Structures are given as structure tokens and as C-alpha cells.
Amino acid sequence: MTIMERKTSLWIRRFNPAEGARARLVCFPHAGGSASFYFPLAQTMPPSVEVVAVQYPGRQDRRHERPIDDIAELADRIAGELAPWTDLPLALFGHSLGATLAFEVARRLERSGTVPIGLFASGRRAPSRHRDERVHQGDDRALLAQLKRLNGTDAQVFGDEEVVRMILPALRSDYRAAETYRYRPGPRLSCPVYALTGDDDAMVTVEEASAWGEHTSGPFELRVYPGGHFFLTAHAASIRDLVSHHIGAHAAHAQHL
């Protein structure tokens, strides 16, 4: 893949090209989310860290594509798409569904010889902690009600029937992917893992978040923030500083090896 092809990938969105960057942060959206969710982060991250975001099929400019409702298939595709972006040290950040997906992509990258400099898992229980959830099997009303409860979508969206019809297929597909995912035991990651969670998140307990430490042989850190499932919105500046600090430290170390 050429540089031009890399920059125009349907899967990877580069919001703030940073030619002098020392590391790259790859962001994975939540269920029903899109790459643009991370645009504010890209705008405020220091120039030493370039932010790119994954755009899943079935939403926004990819809305005419079939959504992929299987974590393994998504991870295979995304890991392949990231291969041309490994010219800089990579860190991965995922929220909710995106955290599970980032973990599976990290496993694939490590197997192919690319060890991320960090995995930031936000708003999601550890892969080995399973809950029997079946939101994706409910009707449209139940699915939208779940989305409202999590407070991660602008309330105006729910009043626009056309927009609702557009987001429902991808939303249902994402929930199916998240809820049918089953962790398959294997080698632990060797990269550092940072678990971020809200203290009032109905989707994740602190114990379930702390279990991320079982999935790496490298350093592990748990950060608990006030708030619910989308705690990261209220604490965006703090999380940005945390992520940029750790990326900077590990990128500097990697360059001196």
C-alpha cells in the first residue's frame, strides 16, 4: 500500500496529520459510534502524537456497506489495515466495544511482530469477564432505550426518524458483535495496559475493569473516574493528558532501544 492509499483508506481516518509525530494513537469507537467521535481528541493531542481513528463499515460515509457483527472478523480486517501505519510506534485506545476490539487487534499485531506501546481500554470489562447480554435481540425500541440510558448520543438524534433509521443497522450489528464475543485464551499481551472506568458505570464494575491486568505481562494501571459509561466525555482533558504522557514515555524508551 502506498502512502497515498494509506491516507485515503476507508478504515483509517487521519484527522491531524502530524509530520513530526513520534508515535501514533489508533482509536476504536464504541457501539453505534464512528471515527468522528475522536475528532476533539485529535485536535487537542500534542503534535508529538498523531491520532487516527477506525471507521467501521455501516456508518456515516460507509453507511451503504454491510456492518460486520463479529469481533474476530473486524479485528482481522483492522489489523491488516494498520500494517502500513506501523512506521511509528502504535498505541491503541478503545471505548466500550472499541476496547474489546482494540485488545483483539493488539493480539494480532503482537503475533505479527508489532508490539504496541500501550493499550488503553476504556469503559469495558476485561475480555475474560463475560456477562449474558442480549440487547441486540430486542426490538428497535429496546435498542434505542439502551442507547439513551448510556447517555453517549446527542438527545436530538432520537427525535430525527431518518437519522434513527440510518444508525439502527450499525448499532444492532455492533451490539451483536459485543454481546456474542467470547474470549479465547492465549498468550498475554506484552504491552502495557491501562484500564479506565467510571465509578457509576452500569456496564462495568471496578473489579471487571481491574481484571484487564490479567491480560498483559507488562505494566498495568487502573484509573477510576467519577461518572457513568461515558465518563470520558466529562474527563476528556485529564484522559488526554494521561494518554499523551504514557505514549510519550514509552515512545521515548522505544526510540532508545
Side-chain angles (χ1 to χ4, degrees):
M1 181 178 290
T2 67
I3 295 296
M4 183 58 65
E5 288 171 332
R6 184 181 76 172
K7 291 180 180 179
T8 57
S9 168
L10 286 174
W11 287 84
I12 309 298
R13 303 303 158 91
R14 192 186 193 200
F15 294 127
N16 64 333
E19 300 305 329
R22 294 188 298 158
R24 184 171 286 126
L25 178 65
V26 183
C27 297
F28 297 75
H30 53 280
S34 60
S36 59
F37 179 78
Y38 291 105
F39 181 76
L41 176 66
Q43 295 301 104
T44 59
M45 190 66 73
S48 58
V49 180
E50 180 176 73
V51 177
V52 298
V54 178
Q55 184 78 308
Y56 311 141
R59 64 217 68 214
Q60 291 187 334
D61 59 334
R62 302 190 71 185
R63 64 185 178 277
H64 298 300
E65 298 179 53
R66 178 186 66 86
I68 297 176
D69 60 4
D70 180 77
I71 292 287
E73 182 181 349
L74 273 168
D76 287 342
R77 294 291 302 275
I78 294 167
E81 291 287 334
L82 285 177
W85 297 87
T86 57
D87 56 314
L88 291 176
L90 290 184
L92 311 181
F93 185 105
H95 182 68
S96 198
L97 161 73
T100 303
L101 188 52
F103 167 74
E104 288 293 340
V105 170
R107 298 176 95 182
R108 286 156 174 77
L109 290 175
E110 290 206 357
R111 285 201 297 266
S112 67
T114 298
V115 178
I117 57 174
L119 168 64
F120 297 87
S122 169
R124 187 66 175 168
R125 58 186 176 272
S128 54
R129 297 301 189 267
H130 174 67
R131 291 188 187 186
D132 185 18
E133 297 172 322
R134 304 183 184 185
V135 175
H136 75 278
Q137 296 179 352
D139 60 18
D140 291 350
R141 184 178 299 177
L143 193 61
L144 291 172
Q146 171 71 359
L147 199 61
K148 290 179 182 179
R149 280 194 293 271
L150 296 179
N151 293 320
T153 303
D154 190 331
Q156 291 182 338
V157 168
F158 299 108
D160 190 323
E161 291 186 10
E162 183 177 354
V163 172
V164 168
R165 285 196 302 272
M166 287 174 55
I167 68 172
L168 272 172
L171 179 64
R172 187 176 299 281
S173 176
D174 289 352
Y175 267 87
R176 185 180 297 113
E179 294 176 347
T180 60
Y181 170 78
R182 299 294 182 272
Y183 168 69
R184 294 184 178 181
R188 290 188 292 174
L189 295 175
S190 59
C191 70
V193 173
Y194 308 92
L196 317 177
T197 191
D199 62 3
D200 193 31
D201 187 348
M203 304 293 291
V204 190
T205 67
V206 172
E207 186 279 330
E208 288 173 326
S210 67
W212 276 98
E214 301 170 10
H215 294 280
T216 181
S217 60
F220 172 72
E221 186 174 327
L222 172 68
R223 291 289 183 100
V224 181
Y225 296 83
H229 191 59
F230 280 91
F231 67 92
L232 74 172
T233 302
H235 302 283
S238 175
I239 292 171
R240 177 204 62 213
D241 292 345
L242 170 74
V243 171
S244 62
H245 170 76
H246 283 290
I247 289 177
H250 286 287
H253 176 71
Q255 288 178 344
H256 285 89
L257 292 179

